[in-house]
DNA sequence: ACATACCTGACTAAAATGGTCAAGTTTGGA
DNA sequence: TCCAAACTTGACCATTTTAGTCAGGTATGT
């Protein structure tokens, strides 16, 4: 049960972006250098963030990326969804009535994993980029 | 971020075991058939559960496995630990002061992932086999 | 003695992960 | 005008992890 680096990097990059967002667009090259993430990999990630309207791009020299929403409105849920980092605890297809072992009913632990999934997702829904910014300035204003 | 089948099967098998535990030892063959889990795979899993003193084995004909503790004292944490299903959200080594990218300090999202890890582990610590049994008999006595 | 069931370790096919690489297009500025 | 910075797209790939299988054992109740 581990977090993939795609999800981890996406959040890391967005926190970085949000910090420098005020004045100019932020280039991936800068984020790459500051956070130690491969530039090519960041490009894949931002391509998805853009499709999901979490960031906007500005091309050309002095270009870069800008947040497309208020940091308060960008939940971890949104970010993870954008980069396909999904929480998957059950093995079966949820919408089906069949169980994970191919049987006709859900297995004896299905409800447990479902609870777990909700538990984790709740965490993601209650965290926004804003929270992370405040958190990292050590003390709130 | 997904649960592996080793962890899922371990819990599934133990719930099954706990249900039939009262009278006789339960053979892996039975669990295999009832839960639709490969027998050879179950053997690997139970080998670990035994090493961690969660179950006891009884060899020979009519043999099988028996719980080694009260269902109330077997937390999901214990089970997962036994089969090496671990929650890993940070990339760095926790005890080190270094960050995940090889830098000298922890990255800007480290605290977040640490919080997440605690959040998930709390769930596992608050669930025992007993809870799962009750839960599956639909209604409590 | 023999079938049942535990025990152990090696092995492997397939999937996921964590990237790299190559070849663009767009645009601001010297 | 021309160049370099920066975004864009898509293919490619090595390594690791997962989810098992397989082949041999050993112990024991009947
Ligand atoms: S996890 Fe859904 S049926 Fe087993
Ligand atoms: S996750 Fe610990 S430093 Fe980045």
């Amino acid at each position: 049960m581990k977090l993939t680096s795609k999800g981890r990097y996406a959040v890391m990059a967005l926190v970085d972006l949000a910090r420098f967002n005020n004045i100019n667009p932020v280039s991936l090259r800068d984020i790459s250098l500051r956070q130690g993430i491969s530039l090519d990999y960041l490009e894949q990630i931002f391509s998805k963030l853009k499709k999901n309207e979490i960031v906007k791009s500005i091309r050309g020299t002095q270009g870069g990326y800008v947040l497309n929403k208020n940091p308060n409105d960008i939940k971890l849920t949104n970010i993870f969804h954008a980069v396909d980092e999904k929480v998957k605890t059950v093995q079966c297809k949820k919408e089906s009535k069949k169980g994970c072992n191919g049987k006709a009913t859900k297995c004896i632990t299905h409800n447990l994993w479902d609870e777990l999934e909700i538990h984790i997702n709740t965490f993601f829904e209650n965290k926004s980029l804003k929270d992370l910014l405040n958190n990292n300035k050590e003390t709130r204003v």
Side-chain angles (χ1 to χ4, degrees), chain A:
Chain A
M1 178 130 241
K2 68 183 174 200
L3 193 63
T4 68
S5 72
K6 192 163 269 182
R8 195 181 298 111
Y9 287 165
V11 176
M12 221 186 272
L14 283 175
V15 172
D16 183 290
L17 177 57
R19 280 178 162 183
F20 294 86
N21 193 29
N22 313 314
I23 318 151
N24 296 312
V26 180
S27 75
L28 293 190
R29 190 172 156 281
D30 286 354
I31 297 181
S32 167
L33 289 174
R34 277 196 293 259
Q35 305 303 329
I37 305 171
S38 143
L39 177 57
D40 283 318
Y41 202 21
L42 271 180
E43 274 166 354
Q44 285 182 42
I45 293 170
F46 272 76
S47 157
K48 296 187 177 191
L49 292 175
K50 189 187 170 188
K51 272 186 195 131
N52 284 264
E53 299 178 339
I54 291 173
V55 297
K56 275 187 300 196
S57 68
I58 294 159
R59 303 186 65 152
T61 320
Q62 297 297 97
Y65 285 93
V66 187
L67 288 185
N68 198 20
K69 294 177 185 176
N70 192 298
N72 205 28
D73 294 331
I74 303 178
K75 311 288 182 199
L76 286 203
T77 305
N78 307 135
I79 301 173
F80 278 9
H81 177 259
V83 299
D84 305 313
E85 170 89 47
K86 37 188 168 255
V87 177
K88 176 162 184 173
T89 56
V90 298
Q91 173 69 0
C92 60
K93 283 178 199 147
K94 272 197 178 179
E95 54 285 2
S96 164
K97 286 214 166 187
K98 288 188 179 172
C100 50
N101 38 24
K103 303 205 172 167
T105 61
K106 293 300 183 188
C107 75
I108 52 182
T109 47
H110 180 88
N111 288 343
L112 173 69
W113 309 131
D114 209 31
E115 265 186 70
L116 172 58
E117 200 163 305
I118 291 168
H119 182 77
I120 297 175
N121 281 325
T122 301
F123 182 90
F124 294 145
E125 285 184 19
N126 290 332
K127 287 277 178 191
S128 72
L129 259 196
K130 179 100 176 293
D131 297 327
L132 298 179
L133 286 175
N134 292 341
N135 193 19
N136 230 272
K137 277 171 189 157
E138 292 302 300
T139 325
R140 59 175 161 51
V141 186

